[in-house]
Amino acid sequence: MIPYDDISTFFRGYIEQLSLSVDDIADVTGSAADLATQTVISEKKLIVCGIGPDAAGASLLSELLQQGLYRERPAIPAIELTSRHITSLDPGVGWLTQQLTALGQPGDLVILFATSLNQVDLEFLSSAIVKRDLTSVWVGAQGTGPSLAFPGADRATALALSQCCSICLAKLIDISLFGTLEDAT
């Protein structure tokens, strides 16, 4: 078996979807970076969430906020709520809803990676977010706030795009808080 055809098919689909999504990615990540910056400056909580396969995007964003990627700088405080080791998404959604209800306070920002969630799960989490008066940004699905859904993308492509959004968002937050990358040199 030669994997070239499978790999090239994936990347062709990814590049096509990225091309279709770049304007939305730039718009939503720019808005999300502004929200995250204001959240950090006002000493509210920045909560980054993901369940199952979406935990990777949330973990990546949290790590980049803590460690940085482009320069040495102070860590940007973020709470990571991820559930990677679950057999089905239902217990993870219940756990995440419980955590948001316990930790979230008005004015906190939730960045939720939600590519793998179904409509019922999205509504369940949205309800908890609205109930606690949290601000939210959704990556991979349409939610109650700025959202980056990738219509027409298969799940693998949507997950890959979510990872890219993590990197873009971390970079924009870094620049917003600490100045342009040229200022660091």
Side-chain angles (χ1 to χ4, degrees):
M1 177 179 159
I2 300 174
Y4 180 83
D5 291 339
D6 291 330
I7 300 300
S8 65
T9 298
F10 169 77
F11 275 103
R12 270 194 304 275
Y14 172 76
I15 291 167
E16 179 182 315
Q17 194 65 42
L18 179 60
S19 176
L20 294 171
S21 302
V22 72
D23 290 340
D24 290 336
I25 291 170
D27 182 44
V28 174
T29 57
S31 297
D34 290 342
L35 288 169
T37 300
Q38 291 309 311
T39 299
V40 170
I41 290 171
S42 64
E43 298 183 0
K44 300 288 185 179
K45 288 187 285 301
L46 177 57
I47 306 170
V48 183
C49 308
I51 304 166
D54 290 303
S59 293
L60 177 60
L61 178 57
S62 294
E63 187 66 26
L64 292 175
L65 292 174
Q66 294 292 317
Q67 302 297 323
L69 181 63
Y70 302 100
R71 59 179 153 192
E72 284 190 44
R73 57 157 175 76
I76 299 169
I79 297 170
E80 179 183 325
L81 295 178
T82 58
S83 179
R84 295 179 304 150
H85 305 289
I86 56 174
T87 55
S88 75
L89 292 176
D90 290 339
V93 171
W95 170 81
L96 181 55
T97 301
Q98 187 178 48
Q99 293 299 305
L100 290 173
T101 301
L103 293 171
Q105 298 195 2
D108 292 345
L109 175 62
V110 176
I111 300 175
L112 183 65
F113 290 81
T115 303
S116 302
L117 301 180
N118 64 39
Q119 192 59 40
V120 172
D121 294 335
L122 295 171
E123 290 171 7
F124 195 60
L125 286 165
S126 292
S127 176
I129 288 168
V130 168
K131 213 178 281 185
R132 295 298 293 168
D133 196 23
L134 306 172
T135 303
S136 62
V137 174
W138 298 70
V139 180
Q142 187 66 46
T144 55
S147 302
L148 273 170
F150 306 111
D154 62 34
R155 189 170 173 198
T157 300
L159 285 167
L161 288 167
S162 292
Q163 295 283 322
C164 287
C165 290
S166 292
I167 296 167
C168 292
L169 186 53
K171 182 177 184 175
L172 293 175
I173 293 169
D174 184 297
I175 290 169
S176 184
L177 286 170
F178 300 107
T180 63
L181 295 177
E182 292 79 33
D183 293 344
T185 56

